Amino acid sequence: MPEGHTLHRLARDHHAWFAGGKVAVTSPQGRFAGAGRVDGRRVAGVAAHGKHLLYDMGAGDLIHVHLGLFGRFTHHSPPAPDPRETVRMRLRSAQHVVDLVGATTCELITPDQRDELVGRLGPDPIVQPEDPGAGWAALQRKRVGIGRALLDQSVLAGVGNVYRAEVLFVHGLHPEVPAVEVQRDRWDALWSTLHRWMAAAVDSRRIVTVPPEERGDGAVDGPGRTRYVYKQDRCLRCDGPIRRWDLAGRWAYACETCQPPPS
DNA sequence: TGGGCATGCGCAA
DNA sequence: TGCGCCTGCCCAT
């Protein structure tokens, strides 16, 4: 379930589990060709940038993982079971074993390639809460709706379909409002919301955008509604219908009463 | 058993 | 703009 908070949580956990120690790196499936090269190395550190995960394996080698839509890690405490045939990469230390399946990318890259990758990405609201300006500058060059711009990782890094739908609802913006028509103060507010939600989700591992007082059951961690529009039928605020439509290949969600479409 | 679906992205036209 | 790819899970048959 990979939006940016998932990757930052993985980076935190994997750094805690593996950094500073030697790690066995294997590819049971065989499709991570670089595994043998870094097998047995000491892990210098693990970091996330947007939806990308980077393991510094020293000696100018980094493992670059991008989960795509289906990728996921599973964690085992030794003794770990034999890996499934689909495990692209297994990392193993004395205390921890993680298996990666389904990732779009799992490869070795150099520090230069890492810098190029990070350079292509916009600012990450989780790690740069005080800097909405860079994202704003990129937004001014986009001739698309704000909904498409939010999924453009060169504008800002880490937002996926759920946060897009939810943050546009909270700020009353229809996804098809042209990006260049979004006022700066609104952008800054949107950025602040994204930071608050995503930083909290790094800890909780859950995307929750509806505060307890609006959730219906009043419980901080109760089973009540956790999203305003994403995969919802009725608007939590006005009870109007939630519209779902294909926006450039991804589902968009909006309450067109609370988020008036552009004229 | 098979189809559809999912919080993503790169590429060919 | 549409398609292909990566995998697991759930539901209908």
Side-chain angles (χ1 to χ4, degrees):
Chain A
M1 303 157 192
E3 297 205 23
H5 66 287
T6 303
L7 280 299
H8 281 277
R9 180 55 189 239
L10 286 166
R12 176 199 288 182
D13 288 344
H14 291 193
H15 186 89
W17 295 339
F18 298 118
K22 290 184 177 175
V23 64
V25 184
T26 55
S27 181
Q29 178 201 47
R31 290 185 46 201
F32 174 30
R37 179 177 166 88
V38 291
D39 184 27
R41 293 262 190 95
R42 191 174 298 280
V43 179
V46 186
H49 296 267
K51 298 174 189 171
H52 299 260
L53 192 59
L54 294 160
Y55 301 76
D56 184 347
M57 305 301 289
D61 289 309
L62 297 108
I63 301 173
H64 169 218
V65 171
H66 191 286
L67 295 178
L69 197 50
F70 317 121
R72 61 198 307 162
F73 279 98
T74 53
H75 173 263
H76 306 280
S77 296
D82 287 343
R84 306 173 69 138
E85 288 180 3
T86 54
V87 171
R88 180 81 52 86
M89 173 177 75
R90 169 170 278 198
L91 300 177
R92 180 168 50 83
S93 71
Q95 308 297 328
H96 299 279
V97 174
V98 297
D99 287 340
L100 169 66
V101 299
T104 296
T105 302
C106 178
E107 62 181 2
L108 286 187
I109 62 173
T110 65
D112 282 349
Q113 289 172 308
R114 184 260 323 269
D115 293 345
E116 185 191 350
L117 167 72
V118 174
R120 284 203 308 269
L121 300 174
D124 182 331
I126 293 178
V127 294
Q128 293 155 268
E130 74 297 337
D131 187 23
W136 169 256
L139 195 70
Q140 299 315 297
R141 297 190 291 272
K142 298 296 171 186
R143 294 295 176 267
V144 296
I146 184 65
R148 287 183 65 174
L150 283 183
L151 290 189
D152 184 333
Q153 301 296 299
S154 72
V155 173
L156 79 177
V159 168
N161 211 18
V162 181
Y163 283 123
R164 164 175 82 168
E166 296 293 290
V167 80
L168 290 177
F169 172 82
V170 163
H171 292 277
L173 283 166
H174 192 279
E176 288 166 358
V177 168
V180 292
E181 289 181 12
V182 177
Q183 299 298 310
R184 175 64 195 259
D185 58 348
R186 220 161 184 198
W187 172 260
D188 288 355
L190 185 151
W191 186 269
S192 171
T193 300
L194 286 173
H195 169 69
R196 182 163 45 82
W197 285 347
M198 295 174 79
V202 175
D203 293 324
S204 71
R205 299 185 177 91
R206 297 179 65 208
I207 298 179
V208 177
T209 56
V210 181
E213 58 271 23
E214 278 190 87
R215 223 174 272 164
D217 59 355
V220 172
D221 233 359
R225 185 154 153 185
T226 56
R227 291 164 194 164
Y228 287 105
V229 293
Y230 182 81
K231 285 190 176 172
Q232 305 298 316
D233 295 324
R234 316 287 311 179
C235 178
L236 193 52
R237 292 192 172 156
C238 77
D239 201 40
I242 301 300
R243 180 184 165 214
R244 180 182 85 148
W245 72 103
D246 186 316
L247 185 63
R250 309 296 306 280
W251 289 118
Y253 301 82
C255 167
E256 295 193 314
T257 302
C258 299
Q259 301 163 265
S263 46

